[in-house]
Amino acid sequence: MTTVEGTCSDRFEPVRAALAAYLESGEELGASIAVDVDGVMEVDLWGGYADAAHTVPWHRDTLVSLWSTSKTLTNLAALVLIDRGALDLHRPVAHYWPEFASQGKQDIEVRHVLGHTSGLSGWEQPFTVDDLYDWPTASARLAAQAPWWQPGSAAGYHMQTQGQIVGELVRRVSGRTLARFVETEIAGPLAADVQIGAQGADWPRISALVPSPGIPAVPEALDPEAIFTKTLLGSPARDEHVDTPRWRQAELGAINGHGNARGLARALSVISRRGEANGLRLLSRDTVEQIFDVQSDGIDLVLGVPVRWGIGYALSHPRTIPGMPAGTICFWAGWGGSIVVMDLDRRVTFAYTMNRMGAGLLGSDRTHSYLGRVYDALEAAN
């Protein structure tokens, strides 16, 4: 029988039971779940295996590739720089990155990138994974590219490009790489076990991702002019690239963060608690409030589902994530199921990471099951 380790307050016992059941059934291979309630880690659970052969246990400090949940860290880095006055949401990206102004992009503002409305949801073809791993090439190609729709008019999920543009801004205004900035300004001060890429010393504790049989293949018959198609083809990182040395050494702020649920909860609770966490004020309350400035509210051109985009994060929407209530809530999820939810009304941060990827566009059935149990427990306490 698979054992769930860690701690859990009584009211969240259904969360532990759900994790145990999924591990026992084999739907989960290895996973971690954390719930921070106003600075108290009421749930800090992990269990299962870090390998498909069931030979290496998932330990307390096991890490996993986060896919798009990485964006929650990258955009937190942008918010820190906004709070310090180094970045301005309403200034053009080209103010900080002059080359970016070409091809009609002179009026694209920082907020458009953080809200997925810049029109740069993918790279123009041909663009290979080798180009993606070459930072100067990847940045130069975006700087030379025209937007695919009128910036600010609609949202189209910047699947892999958001990390590049935000990372380039971080480099230009801070003089540090995105990975280094996250390490020194977020992970270190908040004692959060998260990082962009992965340092070599941490590789032995990284669990490889296991694709789920339920993840669909890329459709063959796609409209080549559709925003979805152009974005998909212009986002060359695929699951076969994950867990390679090159993936771990790269700086891909939209997709190759590494961490576990506890680390994510510690880092992102700074938003749930309106700027202050673990004895550190990282953001002002005003900066946190700017997250909830709606940039777009409708069907996302890439995702094809309703998403209410704020600054850097999606906002609570009844048709985006099942079981998420209305309120002052922001979140994002990664391919396969990982997620971080920041609930400012309840001062709660929920995080989930796993190595067996599940099917689903924004979280898997497991993701939604755990989230539902968390909110059931919170509601029962009121």
Side-chain angles (χ1 to χ4, degrees):
M1 183 175 179
T2 306
T3 302
V4 175
E5 299 187 73
T7 57
C8 178
S9 63
D10 290 344
R11 63 171 170 163
F12 289 111
E13 182 58 34
V15 178
R16 180 200 290 272
L19 176 58
Y22 279 126
L23 288 168
E24 187 64 25
S25 71
E27 291 185 60
E28 283 289 17
L29 175 61
S32 63
I33 299 175
V35 180
D36 178 287
V37 182
D38 202 12
V40 178
M41 199 70 74
E42 290 204 33
V43 178
D44 184 7
L45 300 172
W46 64 90
Y49 296 92
D51 65 331
H54 292 207
T55 60
V56 180
W58 183 295
H59 294 294
R60 183 180 188 277
D61 66 348
T62 294
L63 304 175
V64 70
S65 190
L66 300 170
W67 276 110
S68 284
T69 305
S70 310
K71 293 179 176 72
T72 63
L73 299 169
T74 293
N75 292 336
L76 179 56
L79 287 171
V80 170
L81 289 168
I82 289 164
D83 193 74
R84 295 174 182 175
L87 281 177
D88 187 325
L89 281 169
H90 298 281
R91 274 199 163 173
V93 172
H95 174 80
Y96 309 99
W97 179 5
E99 302 91 330
F100 190 84
S102 70
Q103 297 286 346
K105 301 196 303 301
Q106 67 277 359
D107 295 325
I108 293 177
E109 299 173 9
V110 172
R111 67 185 178 93
H112 295 143
V113 176
L114 291 173
H116 298 270
T117 66
S118 79
L120 295 169
S121 56
W123 279 269
E124 291 279 5
Q125 293 296 294
F127 187 80
T128 68
V129 72
D130 290 333
D131 296 326
L132 179 67
Y133 283 134
D134 185 321
W135 186 274
T137 295
S139 289
R141 288 287 301 276
L142 282 174
Q145 181 175 318
W148 291 342
W149 66 88
Q150 179 63 39
S153 65
Y157 183 48
H158 292 21
M159 194 178 298
Q160 295 177 18
T161 54
Q162 190 186 63
Q164 190 72 35
I165 301 172
V166 174
E168 186 68 36
L169 288 170
V170 169
R171 285 175 177 235
R172 287 175 181 258
V173 303
S174 77
R176 284 173 279 178
T177 65
L178 174 63
R180 181 63 176 159
F181 190 89
V182 169
E183 177 189 0
T184 57
E185 302 294 336
I186 297 172
L190 294 174
D193 196 1
V194 292
Q195 52 193 297
I196 300 298
Q199 298 181 19
D202 292 320
W203 289 9
R205 61 191 183 101
I206 297 175
S207 171
L209 291 178
V210 178
S212 167
I215 296 177
V218 176
E220 294 182 3
L222 295 173
D223 177 0
E225 296 305 314
I227 297 298
F228 169 78
T229 307
K230 293 170 71 172
T231 302
L232 189 63
L233 296 179
S235 304
R238 302 282 185 265
D239 61 341
E240 65 265 25
H241 305 301
V242 182
D243 300 318
T244 64
R246 193 161 67 149
W247 171 270
R248 293 174 181 174
Q249 291 168 346
E251 185 177 312
L252 307 175
I255 52 175
N256 86 328
H258 289 74
N260 51 39
R262 182 189 319 102
L264 286 170
R266 286 188 69 86
L268 275 303
S269 65
V270 76
I271 292 176
S272 312
R273 301 174 67 199
R274 299 182 184 271
E276 185 175 6
N278 306 324
L280 173 71
R281 175 155 290 282
L282 196 64
L283 303 171
S284 68
R285 293 176 69 91
D286 287 345
T287 297
V288 174
E289 288 299 323
Q290 290 185 80
I291 293 171
F292 297 89
D293 182 7
V294 177
Q295 302 299 298
S296 179
D297 189 354
I299 303 297
D300 186 280
L301 297 176
V302 174
L303 298 173
V305 298
V307 182
R308 183 176 294 134
W309 286 112
I311 297 295
Y313 304 90
L315 310 181
S316 179
H317 188 292
R319 294 173 57 197
T320 305
I321 297 285
M324 185 179 292
T328 314
I329 300 172
C330 61
F331 70 95
W332 197 238
W335 187 25
S338 64
I339 195 170
V340 182
V341 176
M342 292 80 80
D343 187 328
L344 282 68
D345 295 332
R346 299 166 180 82
R347 297 175 67 86
V348 167
T349 310
F350 162 69
Y352 160 62
T353 66
M354 75 300 131
N355 55 12
R356 187 184 298 285
M357 298 173 68
L361 192 60
L362 294 176
S364 67
D365 288 344
R366 284 172 275 149
T367 311
H368 304 153
S369 175
Y370 298 134
L371 180 63
R373 284 167 170 79
V374 168
Y375 273 106
D376 285 346
L378 291 171
E379 291 303 316
N382 291 333

